[in-house]
C-alpha cells in the first residue's frame, strides 16, 4: 500500500510526464510542413502507366510524394504527349503551363548538350541499380547538368533508369554473322553506327516499326524491352535477341523551378528525397516486375530467347568507332567538360563493379 504522500508524488510525476509528452507532440506537429492541398498538372511523353514502364516510374514517385505529404500533394496527369509533341514538353514545364513534365533531354539536345550523355556509350552498364547510383554521383560532380536545367527554369526531381536495349527479330540471329545484310529499324543519332558489321540501319519513329516488321520492310528492331511491349513488337516477331547494348535514363521528371521554390523547404526535400528513393525502387522493383511480366507473356506467345555470346559482344565492340570521344570533342567546343564526363562515367561505373568491353573516349 502506498501512503498518501507517495500517491501524491506519483500523481505529480505522471502529470509532469503527460504534460511533457503533450509539449513534445505539439513541437513535432508545429515542425511539420504546412502543406496546402495542391494538385500539380503533369505532362508525360509516354503512354499511361498500364502500358508504359516509364510512366509507371513517374507514377511511383507521385504516389510516394502524396503519401509523404499525407495526401496534400496530388497530381493531374496528361499521358501520351496529350498536351504537345515530345519536343514541346520542356517548354510546357519551363513556362509553367504544367508544373511537371516527364520528357527526354535528347528531344531538345541544343538545350541540354550533355543531357542523356550515357547514350553515347555502346555496351555500357545494364545493371539498373548501378546505373541509377552512378548517375546520381556524376551529376553531383559536374555542375553543368544542374546549370542547364536552371537556364530552362526546371529542376530535376527523379531520373530513373529505363529498360535494357536489345533486339526483337523475325529471324534467329545467334551470331554476329547472322546480322550481315539484316535491316534493323531504330532511331537516334548513334544507334545506326552501333550496328553489328554488315547490318543495315533503317531510321524510323517507334510508332512506325510495327508496320515495317509486319510488311517485311525490316526483320529486326532495336528498342528497350519495355517499349517492345508498349508498341506490341512481339506480335510481329519471333525472337528476342539479348545483346545488352546499353541502358539509359530516358524519362527524367522535371519540375518548374519557380513552382519548386514556392513550396516550403520541407516539401522541397520530400520531392527530392522521394525522387532519389524511387530511382532505386524502379531499379529493384518496377523494372524486374515489368521484365517478368514481359518475359512470361512473350514466352506464352511463342517468343524464343537468344543470347549473343560474350566473345561476339567483345568482337562487335572492337569494330565500332570511338563515338564517346567524338561526342566529348563536340561538347568541349560548346564549353562543357566532355572528356571529363566520358572518363568519370567509365571510372564511376567501374568502381561500382561494371567491366567495360573496351576503353572509350581516347583523345587523339
Amino acid at each position: 500500500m502506498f501512503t498518501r504522500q507517495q500517491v501524491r508524488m506519483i500523481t505529480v510525476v505522471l502529470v509532469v510526464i503527460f504534460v511533457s509528452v503533450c509539449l513534445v507532440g505539439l513541437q513535432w506537429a508545429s515542425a511539420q510542413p504546412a502543406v496546402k492541398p495542391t494538385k500539380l498538372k503533369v505532362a508525360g511523353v509516354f503512354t499511361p502507366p498500364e502500358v508504359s514502364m516509364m510512366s509507371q516510374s513517374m507514377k511511383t514517385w507521385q504516389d510516394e510524394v502524396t503519401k509523404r505529404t499525407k495526401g496534400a500533394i496530388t497530381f493531374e496527369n496528361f499521358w501520351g504527349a496529350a498536351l504537345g509533341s515530345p519536343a514541346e514538353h520542356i517548354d510546357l514545364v519551363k513556362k509553367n503551363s504544367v508544373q511537371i513534365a516527364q520528357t527526354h533531354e535528347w528531344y531538345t539536345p541544343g538545350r541540354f548538350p550533355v543531357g542523356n550523355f550515357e547514350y553515347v556509350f555502346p555496351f555500357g552498364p545494364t545493371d539498373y541499380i548501378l546505373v541509377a547510383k552512378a548517375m546520381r554521383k556524376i551529376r553531383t560532380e559536374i555542375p553543368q547538368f544542374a546549370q542547364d536545367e536552371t537556364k530552362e527554369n526546371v529542376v530535376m526531381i527523379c531520373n530513373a533508369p529505363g529498360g535494357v536495349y536489345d533486339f526483337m527479330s523475325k529471324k534467329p540471329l545467334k551470331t554476329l554473322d547472322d546480322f550481315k545484310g539484316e535491316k534493323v529499324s531504330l532511331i537516334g543519332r548513334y544507334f545506326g553506327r552501333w550496328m553489328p558489321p554488315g547490318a543495315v540501319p533503317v531510321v524510323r519513329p517507334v510508332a512506325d516499326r510495327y508496320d515495317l516488321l509486319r510488311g517485311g520492310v525490316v526483320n529486326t528492331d532495336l528498342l528497350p524491352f519495355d517499349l517492345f511491349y508498349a508498341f506490341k513488337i512481339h506480335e510481329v516477331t519471333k525472337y528476342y535477341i539479348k545483346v545488352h547494348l546499353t541502358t539509359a535514363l530516358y524519362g527524367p521528371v522535371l519540375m518548374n523551378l519557380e513552382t519548386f521554390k514556392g513550396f516550403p523547404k520541407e516539401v522541397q526535400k520530400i520531392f527530392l528525397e522521394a525522387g532519389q528513393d524511387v530511382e532505386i525502387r524502379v531499379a529493384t522493383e518496377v523494372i524486374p516486375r515489368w521484365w517478368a511480366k514481359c518475359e512470361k507473356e512473350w514466352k506464352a506467345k511463342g517468343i524464343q530467347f537468344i543470347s549473343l555470346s560474350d566473345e561476339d559482344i567483345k568482337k562487335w565492340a572492337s569494330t565500332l568507332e570511338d563515338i564517346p570521344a567524338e561526342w566529348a570533342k563536340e561538347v568541349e567546343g560548346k564549353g562543357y567538360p566532355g572528356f571529363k564526363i566520358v572518363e568519370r562515367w567509365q571510372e564511376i561505373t567501374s568502381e561500382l563493379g561494371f567491366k567495360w568491353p573496351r576503353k572509350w573516349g581516347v583523345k587523339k
Side-chain angles (χ1 to χ4, degrees), residues 252-325:
V253 178
L254 304 173
M255 181 179 286
N256 177 274
L257 184 57
E258 294 166 8
T259 296
F260 177 79
K261 290 180 176 179
F263 284 99
K265 294 290 186 183
E266 296 88 349
V267 179
Q268 295 177 20
K269 185 178 180 182
I270 286 174
F271 288 143
L272 295 174
E273 288 185 348
Q276 292 186 39
D277 292 346
V278 166
E279 287 168 2
I280 300 302
R281 281 182 58 190
V282 168
T284 58
E285 299 174 20
V286 176
I287 296 179
R289 186 168 64 245
W290 271 79
W291 172 251
K293 171 185 176 181
C294 292
E295 187 178 38
K296 181 179 179 180
E297 289 191 23
W298 291 341
K299 285 183 176 180
K301 294 179 182 296
I303 297 292
Q304 297 179 43
F305 290 78
I306 298 171
S307 294
L308 216 61
S309 70
D310 291 341
E311 182 181 351
D312 267 352
I313 295 293
K314 190 172 183 179
K315 181 180 177 182
W316 177 2
S318 70
T319 69
L320 302 180
E321 299 172 271
D322 192 350
I323 292 175

Side-chain angles (χ1 to χ4, degrees), residues 18-132:
F18 176 78
V19 172
S20 298
V21 169
C22 289
L23 289 173
V24 170
L26 288 171
Q27 290 175 351
W28 181 86
S30 63
Q32 301 309 297
V35 189
K36 295 180 180 179
T38 305
K39 180 176 285 188
L40 299 175
K41 190 175 181 180
V42 184
V45 299
F46 300 99
T47 50
E50 295 76 21
V51 291
S52 168
M53 187 179 75
M54 297 311 291
S55 293
Q56 182 63 63
S57 298
M58 180 166 68
K59 183 66 164 56
T60 302
W61 171 78
Q62 292 177 358
D63 291 345
E64 189 63 26
V65 169
T66 298
K67 176 183 175 182
R68 295 188 187 190
T69 59
K70 302 186 185 304
I73 305 293
T74 56
F75 304 88
E76 180 182 15
N77 289 295
F78 295 85
W79 308 108
L83 299 181
S85 70
E88 293 174 318
H89 274 54
I90 186 62
D91 278 328
L92 287 174
V93 66
K94 178 179 182 177
K95 297 175 181 178
N96 211 23
S97 299
V98 299
Q99 288 73 60
I100 297 170
Q102 185 180 40
T103 182
H104 187 319
E105 290 126 315
W106 273 24
Y107 289 137
T108 50
R111 297 158 83 166
F112 299 101
V114 294
N116 285 123
F117 71 89
E118 70 276 18
Y119 266 106
V120 307
F121 292 92
F123 301 108
T126 56
D127 179 298
Y128 302 117
I129 300 173
L130 184 155
V131 169

Side-chain angles (χ1 to χ4, degrees), residues 154-201:
V154 299
V155 59
M156 177 81 75
I157 296 294
C158 184
N159 197 19
V164 64
Y165 277 78
D166 285 320
F167 295 107
M168 291 196 83
S169 178
K170 292 181 173 182
K171 296 183 177 182
L173 307 174
K174 299 179 180 180
T175 68
L176 278 185
D177 288 340
D178 291 337
F179 280 87
K180 290 180 179 178
E182 284 301 312
K183 294 181 179 179
V184 182
S185 50
L186 47 78
I187 199 169
R189 181 177 177 185
Y190 299 118
F191 286 157
R193 296 169 63 190
W194 288 5
M195 288 300 95
V200 180

